[in-house]
Amino acid sequence: MTLLKKLVSSIQISPDFLHQVFTISDYMARIIRQRGRTDLLSDKVIALLFLEPSSRTMMSFQSAAERLQAGILFLQSKETSSLQKGESVEDTMRVTAGYCDMIVARLPKAGSAEIAANACSVPFINAGDGSNEHPTQALVDTYTIRQALGRLQDIHVALGFDPLQSRSIHSLVRVLAQFPGVRFTFISPPSLRAPDDLLNELRSRSIEFFETEDVSSVRGADVIYLNRLQEERFTDPKEFDLNRYRFKLTKAMLSDRTKLILDPLPRIDEIAPEVDDHPAASYFRQAHNGIPIRMALMCLLLDRV
Ligand code: CP
């Protein structure tokens, strides 16, 4: 049981909430292995509104809802909905809330998840709002780190290569920053440095972080967390072209210290395919963890566990 009914930002994810989600996710993973599905949400309808492209988040929410035997409503693009006619996100949420028991929404504009959540009268999950936040990805990422290392405290995490625009990096840093002994190294060109508000949050909590352009500094990290340059968010295409191939993880950059390599995916140029068979490379397992995590989250917000 949780009092949380609308997950908009990873700021809402406390260590206690994380523990609750992980415990239920372990239970859901057992259900998937043993019998594939359960009827915990068989009387519920979940609306999936994905107004920005998605493969993993959309399909893992769909798969999670299917495995919980919920009904699913889809709204998959602005172009095929009345948003195209000029209807506001708020009105879309108000109407959709009358058709379902929970809304999961991916929205293109940073900050729009909060507006959407405030407009809807049913539980709400932010599935990524522009370059702002991706809180369910942070749940998946921390679950994968805990599985691999057995802890979330006392780890050094290197993050690249677009900390400015990667919502997955923003959300992960905010969750991990609550654990003692966590250190961050942000790797990016100067134009893609992590946003000031995020860095100021770290400074205000006296959390150690370092910024560099040197990709080989991943050597000192326990966890390497990479995300593609967010091409669709660049205002200057030349800036993207300039950095696209400069920031790439190769096998030669890994060290004995490297315990885990993660990427929320899609992988474009940030990780060379030769890294895939390294024992620390865990990005495909990370993507599969999206199902038990999202099953757990939907059940928690709907008071079914
Ligand atoms: N990790 C992630 O958000 O991937 P998608 O954009 O494919 O959903």
Side-chain angles (χ1 to χ4, degrees), residues 5 9 34 41 61 65 68 71 77 102 127 137 144 177 199 203 221 248 250:
K5 294 289 165 248
S9 163
Q34 290 167 2
L41 296 187
F61 265 114
L68 294 163
S77 72
M102 166 179 275
Q137 183 67 49
T144 311
L199 297 182
R203 285 187 191 101
K248 184 189 281 286
T250 62

Side-chain angles (χ1 to χ4, degrees), residues 53-57 106 134 137 264-265:
S54 171
S55 297
R56 274 143 295 274
T57 313
R106 169 165 290 189
H134 196 347
Q137 183 67 49
L265 306 174

Side-chain angles (χ1 to χ4, degrees), residues 256-297:
D256 291 346
R257 174 108 198 216
T258 312
K259 302 288 185 308
L260 192 61
I261 306 165
L262 298 178
D263 186 329
L265 306 174
R267 178 247 306 268
I268 307 299
D269 299 303
E270 71 279 14
I271 300 179
E274 64 173 16
V275 175
D276 294 0
D277 64 7
H278 190 279
S282 305
Y283 19 95
F284 296 112
R285 184 161 53 82
Q286 176 189 4
H288 296 158
N289 280 338
I291 296 177
I293 282 285
R294 290 175 171 122
M295 286 172 79
L297 187 62

Side-chain angles (χ1 to χ4, degrees), residues 24-291:
I24 300 164
S25 298
D26 289 343
Y27 169 69
M28 295 300 176
R30 276 199 302 280
I31 285 180
I32 294 169
R33 274 195 307 275
Q34 290 167 2
R35 51 193 160 104
R37 53 181 59 210
T38 169
D39 61 2
L40 277 168
L41 296 187
S42 59
D43 60 339
K44 299 290 184 189
V45 173
I46 314 282
L48 303 179
L49 277 73
F50 277 75
L51 305 181
E52 204 185 49
S54 171
S55 297
R56 274 143 295 274
T57 313
M58 192 190 70
M59 284 198 293
S60 61
F61 265 114
Q62 183 182 3
S63 177
E66 294 273 2
R67 288 183 184 282
L68 294 163
Q69 295 183 31
I72 301 171
L73 298 181
F74 264 122
L75 201 159
Q76 269 181 286
S77 72
K78 181 179 171 185
E79 289 69 31
T80 57
S81 75
S82 283
L83 285 149
Q84 183 69 12
K85 301 173 197 164
E87 187 171 33
S88 67
V89 167
E90 290 98 313
D91 281 358
T92 303
M93 293 295 152
R94 285 183 192 111
V95 172
T96 307
Y99 298 155
C100 67
D101 301 292
M102 166 179 275
I103 297 177
V104 178
R106 169 165 290 189
L107 300 164
K109 209 166 150 199
S112 54
E114 189 170 356
I115 294 167
N118 288 337
C120 79
S121 54
V122 295
F124 173 91
I125 298 174
N126 176 8
D129 60 329
S131 61
N132 186 35
E133 283 253 18
H134 196 347
T136 68
Q137 183 67 49
L139 293 173
V140 173
D141 299 341
T142 47
Y143 185 66
T144 311
I145 296 171
R146 193 210 59 159
Q147 261 181 351
L149 305 187
R151 66 181 198 281
L152 294 176
Q153 73 273 24
D154 297 317
I155 54 174
H156 179 188
V157 188
L159 305 117
F161 295 119
D162 188 352
L164 179 67
Q165 303 174 115
S166 168
R167 57 190 170 207
S168 299
I169 290 180
H170 304 161
S171 292
L172 177 62
V173 167
R174 289 194 168 104
V175 175
L176 284 178
Q178 300 176 84
F179 290 86
V182 173
R183 288 184 294 140
F184 301 107
T185 295
F186 295 101
I187 306 167
S188 74
S191 57
L192 299 177
R193 287 182 56 221
D196 285 339
D197 61 342
L198 185 65
L199 297 182
N200 286 335
E201 281 172 42
L202 297 181
R203 285 187 191 101
S204 70
R205 303 169 78 147
S206 303
I207 291 159
E208 198 181 324
F209 72 88
F210 179 68
E211 295 178 276
T212 179
E213 283 187 74
D214 180 5
V215 180
S216 71
S217 60
V218 295
R219 279 177 191 286
D222 307 301
V223 178
I224 302 173
Y225 188 94
L226 302 180
N227 195 189
R228 71 190 170 94
L229 301 192
Q230 308 284 296
E231 181 177 6
E232 68 277 25
R233 307 198 199 286
F234 279 73
T235 46
D236 179 2
K238 283 197 212 108
E239 175 74 14
F240 171 73
D241 290 338
L242 188 71
N243 292 304
R244 176 171 189 173
Y245 301 112
R246 228 183 108 206
F247 290 85
K248 184 189 281 286
L249 183 76
T250 62
K251 246 184 186 167
M253 296 169 184
L254 304 176
S255 73
D256 291 346
R257 174 108 198 216
T258 312
K259 302 288 185 308
L260 192 61
I261 306 165
L262 298 178
D263 186 329
L265 306 174
R267 178 247 306 268
I268 307 299
D269 299 303
E270 71 279 14
I271 300 179
E274 64 173 16
V275 175
D276 294 0
D277 64 7
H278 190 279
S282 305
Y283 19 95
F284 296 112
R285 184 161 53 82
Q286 176 189 4
H288 296 158
N289 280 338
I291 296 177

